[in-house]
Amino acid sequence: MKDFRAIDGVKAPYFRIYAAALRSAITAVSALWLLANGGVSPPPGPTLNLSRDQLVRNFETIVFHNEFNNQTDDRLRKWVDPIRLFLDIRAGDRKLIEFAVNQHVSHLVGITGYDIAVTADKSAANVIVVFDRASALGEVGADYFPPNFDIRQVMQTNLCIGQYRSNDSYEIVRGIVVIPIDRVMARGRLEACVVEEITQILGLPNDSDDVFPSVFNDHSLDIELSAQDILLVKLLFDPRLRPGMPRAEVLANVRTILGEMGVGKTEEKPASY
């Protein structure tokens, strides 16, 4: 998440209250839809304004590219083991931080059905989420990053970061999220950072101005996953998409899954006479 946004920190509680109320309203509407439509899930709303081609392109942009380099992955990287997050809280309001993380983890579990949880046992964790002051970034870098990674330089253009590591089988095995809590709170972006970075370490590493609406768009003020973001996460965790699968095969499967879901406008060809 690049530091393009600035919102007065005192407004943050109102954003959280609004987001929680919005989620409750969406849940209620979804429940009514299910009752009225025989258990068929509602379509993901705003994404219907995008073509199926565009949704496939957006999946490719977010999953196969990376905001920290110009390389394009030719194979899918994906988790296969349960995800356990340890919160290394070195500064900030512990209760507020734990609430924000637990809320988002619960949301991700609901979206994916995957085994994701916060653990108090650091040795059992495969994802570390660090909260510290911006002035202590050097110490965080020394604790969690290789010597050739200058976290202070990276954070000059990023409000918060999330990265992951995969093995030779393209299975994601470790993740790290760093959130400078004082800088984030000053901008009212705690929830936004938690949502974006923890979601990105699931295997959606890129930011792009071409994907909208989305928390993966650095010019967006979104603090919650958009309908399109939720769709991208659901697609990634579909069991038909396997670690190491070639990009072309993944995208073909994504198109098939979107068709099965009835999501995305199809391009209508003019009738021939």
Side-chain angles (χ1 to χ4, degrees), residues 1-3 67-68 134-142 145-161 163 178 180 183:
M1 176 182 288
K2 292 183 173 57
D3 193 2
E67 63 176 312
F68 292 107
S135 60
L137 285 173
E139 297 174 19
V140 173
F145 291 90
N148 62 344
F149 185 86
D150 190 344
I151 189 172
R152 285 172 293 194
Q153 181 178 355
V154 170
M155 297 301 280
Q156 288 178 6
T157 54
N158 290 273
L159 184 58
C160 41
I161 63 170
Q163 296 191 342
V178 178
R183 188 185 299 172

Side-chain angles (χ1 to χ4, degrees), residues 12 25 47-48 53 89 98 237:
T47 55
L48 294 178
D53 287 344
I89 303 173
E98 289 177 344
F237 278 82

Side-chain angles (χ1 to χ4, degrees), residues 81-160:
D81 291 329
I83 300 173
R84 292 293 179 265
L85 300 90
F86 176 80
L87 308 186
D88 185 356
I89 303 173
R90 304 179 177 191
D93 185 328
R94 174 172 289 272
K95 288 185 178 180
L96 180 62
I97 290 170
E98 289 177 344
F99 174 79
V101 173
N102 285 319
Q103 184 181 48
H104 185 53
V105 167
S106 295
H107 192 199
L108 291 174
V109 171
I111 294 168
T112 64
Y114 200 73
D115 187 356
I116 311 171
V118 176
T119 179
D121 181 2
K122 189 175 183 179
S123 65
N126 45 21
V127 174
I128 305 294
V129 188
V130 188
F131 298 85
D132 206 346
R133 295 177 298 276
S135 60
L137 285 173
E139 297 174 19
V140 173
D143 289 343
Y144 291 110
F145 291 90
N148 62 344
F149 185 86
D150 190 344
I151 189 172
R152 285 172 293 194
Q153 181 178 355
V154 170
M155 297 301 280
Q156 288 178 6
T157 54
N158 290 273
L159 184 58
C160 41

Side-chain angles (χ1 to χ4, degrees), residues 1 66-68 127-130 145 149 151 154-155 158-165 174-180 193-194 196-207:
M1 176 182 288
N66 194 304
E67 63 176 312
F68 292 107
V127 174
I128 305 294
V129 188
V130 188
F145 291 90
F149 185 86
I151 189 172
V154 170
M155 297 301 280
N158 290 273
L159 184 58
C160 41
I161 63 170
Q163 296 191 342
Y164 58 75
R165 179 167 58 84
R174 302 288 295 179
I176 176 74
V177 172
V178 178
I179 299 179
C193 274
V194 165
E196 179 181 351
E197 304 305 339
I198 292 179
T199 304
Q200 287 196 306
I201 59 94
L202 297 183
L204 302 102
N206 198 29
D207 286 340

Side-chain angles (χ1 to χ4, degrees), residues 11 44 55 111 134 168 188 226 246:
K11 295 181 181 178
L55 290 170
I111 294 168
D168 292 339
S226 70

